[in-house]
Amino acid sequence: MSDQQTPGLAKAISDVSERASLLVREEIELAKAEVSQKVSKLGKGAVVAAAAGVFVLGALVLILFGLSYLAYWAIPFPGDTANNQVFWGFFTVAAILLLLAGLAGLVAFRAFKAGSPPAPKMAIAEAKLIRETVSAEHPETTV
C-alpha cells in the first residue's frame, strides 16, 4: 500500500465508525419515541376508562340495591314471616357478585399473563434490516 492510500483508508474507517454510531443513536431515539407514543396513548385511554368506571360504579350501586330488594321479594327465605328481614336479599346478591368477581379475576389473570409489554417493533425491524444490509455481500440489493 502506498502512503497516499493509508490516509484515505483511515478516513474511510473513521467515516464508517461515525456513521455506525450515529445509526445506533438514531435507532435508540426511534425506539424511545415509539414506546413513549404508545405509553401516551395508553395513558389517555386509562383516564377515559376511569371516568367511565366512576359513572358505571354509581349506576351499579343503584342496580344492586334494586336487585337486593327484588331478591328479597322473589325468594321465599325460611323463617321470614312478615319480619321484613330484607338483609337476605342483600346476602344473596353479594354471593352472586363474589362468584362473578372470582370469574372476572380469573379471566383478568389469564389476560395479563398472556399479554406482553409494549415493544418498539419498528425499531427492531429497522435494526434487523440494517444488520442484514451490513452483513450482506451485495448491500445494494437488500434495500
Side-chain angles (χ1 to χ4, degrees), residues 15-86:
D15 285 346
V16 168
S17 174
E18 286 176 21
R19 288 183 182 169
S21 81
L22 176 66
L23 192 58
V24 168
R25 283 194 301 266
E26 287 177 350
E27 289 300 320
I28 290 171
E29 289 300 318
L30 175 63
K32 285 180 185 178
E34 190 177 352
V35 169
S36 67
Q37 182 182 21
K38 288 181 180 181
V39 168
S40 172
K41 286 181 182 180
L42 286 174
K44 289 177 185 177
V47 168
V48 172
V54 168
F55 295 125
V56 168
L57 185 63
L60 184 63
V61 167
L62 293 174
I63 290 169
L64 291 176
F65 270 104
L67 287 176
S68 297
Y69 283 109
L70 179 66
Y72 169 73
W73 175 76
I75 301 172
F77 292 101
D80 186 26
T81 56
N83 290 334
N84 292 329
Q85 295 175 344
V86 179

Side-chain angles (χ1 to χ4, degrees), residues 98-110:
L98 287 174
L99 288 173
L100 290 174
L103 180 63
L106 180 64
V107 170
F109 174 74
R110 288 184 179 170

Side-chain angles (χ1 to χ4, degrees), residues 1-11:
M1 237 187 250
S2 69
D3 291 336
Q4 291 177 345
Q5 289 177 341
T6 304
L9 183 61
K11 175 137 176 62

